[in-house]
Amino acid sequence: MPDVTGATEAAGDLFREGDLVLLIDRKRRRYLQRLAERGTFQTHLGIVAHTEIIGQSVGSRVLVGGHRYLALRPTLAEYTLESKRLTQIIYPKDVGAILVAADIFPGARVLEAGLGSGSLSMALLRAIGPAGELFSYEVREGSIAGAQENIRAALGDTPNHTVRCHDLYTSIPDQGLDRVVLDVPEPWQAVEHAARALTPGGVFLAYLPTVLQVHRLVDALNREPEFDLVDSFEVLHRPWHVTRRSVRPVHRMVAHTAFLTTARKCAPGKLLRLDDQGGPWYPEEADPPVPDDAA
């Protein structure tokens, strides 16, 4: 049974042995624990025996040394941030944008590469549901087991998830895909493969940290006859400090993490775009169309 919150919890839901619990102290520091009969959680404020949490209601407060910890089931975003990381994760602010921009829907056949720590895989699996299929490609064989462990801890068994140790740049063996979502350094090397693997109208999305990578990818997408509606953007997350006497932005924010670039698979024949001078844009080394009234 999945540990991470995935649906509305029943009133009076209780913590059980083997559950994940997120303990939050008065300074909002978070501690992720797997409950065990003989388990303990040690802090500078004292030792919390897991038996003090097992049997308690979700949302209860555990008293330790005069200090209280709020005990909750972790959301998927909280689990992603607090779980063991094998590689840099995709932050929740970007995961949400990816699910919307790529239009991940229940029952979709989705390819992602690379697998990393499994943070995006978890969100994709929840979005496509049991009727969908997720194919994850990863070139680092040694990181696959750790990612699968994170996914299993959050979602339980996922028989609709296929993980392949495969180089996306060489080919995409899985075809008839609704969506392709890439977190790889050089996604332009996979543009042609993705165009062949996607169904008509399918969405391509790539997650890239630098604008130079984005520039190269967009150029490759514009050159591929079957991709159109290319778009790039980033997501900034600025929290606010709100009290009875003060409302202001917090001093720190999660600003740039990466750019998201999307494209749609369409019939060949690009929509008209404008170049830097406001005239019609054509891929380099391509001949402009001849006007109908040309001699």
Side-chain angles (χ1 to χ4, degrees):
M1 178 177 180
D3 291 301
V4 175
T5 302
T8 304
E9 293 168 350
D13 193 13
L14 305 179
F15 284 112
R16 300 171 179 82
E17 185 176 9
D19 285 353
L20 284 172
V21 60
L22 186 70
L23 299 174
I24 306 173
D25 68 15
R26 56 191 177 125
K27 293 186 177 181
R28 297 201 174 187
R29 290 173 294 205
R30 288 163 160 77
Y31 309 93
L32 186 65
Q33 296 282 298
R34 172 78 66 181
L35 294 176
E37 187 68 31
R38 298 183 179 180
T40 59
F41 169 56
Q42 300 185 26
T43 76
H44 66 288
L45 300 175
I47 298 176
V48 181
H50 287 185
T51 51
E52 297 182 48
I53 304 171
I54 296 172
Q56 297 291 328
S57 297
V58 174
S60 62
R61 302 178 189 274
V62 181
L63 183 63
V64 179
H67 299 278
R68 292 185 182 274
Y69 289 90
L70 178 60
L72 293 168
R73 296 195 193 282
T75 64
L76 183 59
E78 289 167 333
Y79 177 78
T80 298
L81 292 173
E82 303 300 330
S83 61
K84 183 172 60 176
R85 304 182 189 180
L86 308 171
T87 61
Q88 177 61 44
I89 62 169
I90 297 180
Y91 281 88
K93 73 177 182 69
D94 294 322
V95 170
I98 288 170
L99 296 180
V100 173
D103 189 35
I104 307 299
F105 60 90
R109 285 170 51 85
V110 180
L111 166 69
E112 69 153 345
L115 179 62
S117 295
S119 63
L120 181 58
S121 307
M122 290 182 267
L124 292 171
L125 284 164
R126 288 214 333 198
I128 65 176
E133 290 183 272
L134 177 63
F135 304 93
S136 299
Y137 294 0
E138 176 58 59
V139 295
R140 295 165 297 187
E141 187 173 2
S143 67
I144 290 177
Q148 289 178 314
E149 181 181 347
N150 283 341
I151 295 168
R152 195 160 42 246
L155 303 180
D157 293 331
T158 51
N160 59 336
H161 186 198
T162 301
V163 179
R164 305 190 192 283
C165 185
H166 179 73
D167 185 354
L168 175 84
Y169 301 156
T170 63
S171 67
I172 296 180
D174 300 290
Q175 299 289 299
L177 302 169
D178 298 302
R179 305 291 185 258
V180 170
V181 180
L182 305 183
D183 178 20
V184 295
E186 299 178 351
W188 50 87
Q189 294 196 46
V191 164
E192 183 177 350
H193 303 317
R196 306 299 171 262
L198 279 167
T199 58
V203 179
F204 172 99
L205 183 145
Y207 179 86
L208 289 168
T210 74
V211 73
L212 294 177
Q213 291 169 294
V214 172
H215 188 267
R216 187 162 181 181
L217 171 61
V218 169
D219 183 63
L221 289 167
N222 284 333
R223 291 171 182 272
E224 171 55 51
E226 293 187 277
F227 277 126
D228 210 331
L229 300 177
V230 181
D231 188 30
S232 297
F233 63 97
E234 63 179 335
V235 178
L236 309 179
H237 179 85
R238 183 172 74 171
W240 280 67
H241 179 78
V242 180
T243 67
R244 292 181 62 185
R245 299 178 180 273
S246 167
V247 178
R248 58 170 175 78
V250 299
H251 297 306
R252 293 185 177 184
M253 65 179 289
V254 182
H256 173 76
T257 48
F259 298 98
L260 305 182
T261 296
T262 59
R264 298 290 296 276
K265 179 176 177 177
C266 307
K270 303 282 189 179
L271 293 178
L272 178 65
R273 295 187 297 282
L274 301 181
D275 64 15
D276 295 338
Q277 286 72 45
W281 177 94
Y282 305 106
E284 294 179 12
E285 303 175 2
D287 295 327
V290 178
D292 294 336
D293 57 353

